[in-house]
Amino acid sequence: MNTITLKLSSALYQTLQNLAVQTGRSPEEIATELLAKDLEIIDDPVDEFIGAFQSNIPDWGENHDYYLSQELQENHHD
């Protein structure tokens, strides 16, 4: 882990603080999650298979979690 220091406007910090209180998490956790999501650096085990299979689903790389969950719901329920 690395540490970074950010200067935030009072309004932005207050919004982050309010979200932290509402979710029961720290402002740092929320900021890290939002930054990772925006930069798309979330570790995804499916990433290693990008380009390995041919698909006629144009947004598969971006929305594979949605398609996998749909498949599980439709075909693998008890």
Side-chain angles (χ1 to χ4, degrees):
M1 295 293 258
N2 295 295
T3 301
I4 187 170
T5 302
L6 302 171
K7 291 185 179 185
L8 305 175
S9 69
S10 295
L12 182 57
Y13 182 76
Q14 190 59 52
T15 300
L16 187 60
Q17 188 69 25
N18 291 343
L19 187 56
V21 169
Q22 290 173 5
T23 60
R25 296 167 39 203
S26 72
E28 293 82 5
E29 286 177 297
I30 294 170
T32 299
E33 181 181 306
L34 291 171
L35 185 59
K37 188 174 187 176
D38 193 53
L39 295 175
E40 296 183 21
I41 303 179
I42 299 172
D43 290 332
D44 190 331
V46 178
D47 283 351
E48 68 184 88
F49 299 105
I50 292 175
F53 305 99
Q54 187 173 16
S55 169
N56 54 352
I57 303 171
D59 63 342
W60 168 255
E62 195 171 288
N63 295 309
H64 57 268
D65 290 335
Y66 169 77
Y67 293 117
L68 290 171
S69 68
Q70 289 296 91
E71 169 66 23
L72 288 172
Q73 288 176 9
E74 293 172 7
N75 299 308
H76 300 281
H77 56 322
D78 291 330

